Amino acid sequence: SAVISQKPSRDICQRGTSLTIQCQVDSQVTMMFWYRQQPGQSLTLIATANQGSEATYESGFVIDKFPISRPNLTFSTLTVSNMSPEDSSIYLCSAGGVEQYFGPGTRLTVT
Amino acid sequence: QKEVEQNSGPLSVPEGAIASLNCTYSDRGSQSFFWYRQYSGKSPELIMSIYSNGDKEDGRFTAQLNKASQYVSLLIRDSQPSDSATYLCAVESGGTSYGKLTFGQGTILTVHP
């Protein structure tokens, strides 16, 4: 199974600012995804991070709000832009093949 | 809209009992099925995957899949207090959705001594 790290583990940000979350995998993986877990809720897929091309976003999520980069097969970033308190969530990256493994998550609080 | 539904819970069982967690899914074309365990404040941990009809056993865990009924379950035998967590059912539909997971809302399991 892939070992995944995320940075930062948590942050408190002011509304209107942006935060970039990094996801690093210990081996090359085919698929990387970004999920959001709002307080007390299950996981919702934000987008697929495609290596060498634009990310593919799920319904309700747009590139201007959640730009994603994937420069190689082991690394991806998610930016949460122009944040509002409604963006307060845990953001998780996952990686693998058909079996997906999750990073430890980034707990974001927007004040 | 692909949907995954889990029994609402919370589920409370005594130590040593069998815990039964259930999940139904709406997309008949779904290919792969997973159970994740999530401890409070932690990220989901993959504990079981199942791809074909029938049972799959791994230690105290047994996953059961019935594609005709669009139903997947997880049995935990000899439940321990350390099994207390939220259990998430996840479904992957294959094809253009390869690797993408749709999660149920989770079932909170409490195992009491």
Side-chain angles (χ1 to χ4, degrees), chain A residues 36-44, chain B residues 6 38 88-89 103-106:
Chain A
R36 180 174 73 183
Q37 187 171 30
Q38 295 180 300
Q41 303 295 313
S42 189
L43 282 77
T44 301
Chain B
Q6 294 184 237
Q38 187 173 28
L88 298 164
C89 174
F103 283 86
Q105 72 272 33

Side-chain angles (χ1 to χ4, degrees), chain B residues 28-71:
Chain B
R28 187 169 287 279
S30 297
Q31 300 288 318
S32 307
F33 307 85
F34 307 93
W35 285 98
Y36 287 82
R37 177 175 63 198
Q38 187 173 28
Y39 292 115
S40 180
K42 301 295 186 182
S43 64
E45 172 193 10
L46 180 63
I47 56 171
M48 288 290 285
S49 57
I50 187 165
Y51 307 103
S52 57
N53 283 329
D55 294 359
K56 179 181 178 182
E57 187 174 317
D58 184 0
R60 295 185 296 110
F61 298 99
T62 299
Q64 300 174 318
L65 175 61
N66 184 325
K67 289 187 177 180
S69 300
Q70 296 175 239
Y71 174 90

Side-chain angles (χ1 to χ4, degrees), chain A residues 30-31 33 35 37 40-45 48 56 58 90 92 94 97-105 107, chain B residues 6 32 34 36 38 41-46 48-49 51 56 88 92 97-106:
Chain A
T30 308
M31 313 298 292
F33 300 93
Y35 289 82
Q37 187 171 30
Q41 303 295 313
S42 189
L43 282 77
T44 301
L45 179 63
T48 304
T56 306
E58 299 300 307
I90 298 172
L92 296 133
S94 74
V98 67
E99 291 188 352
Q100 289 288 307
Y101 299 90
F102 283 86
R107 183 179 296 270
Chain B
Q6 294 184 237
S32 307
F34 307 93
Y36 287 82
Q38 187 173 28
K42 301 295 186 182
S43 64
E45 172 193 10
L46 180 63
M48 288 290 285
S49 57
Y51 307 103
K56 179 181 178 182
L88 298 164
E92 188 259 6
S97 297
Y98 180 78
K100 295 183 182 181
L101 299 177
T102 302
F103 283 86
Q105 72 272 33

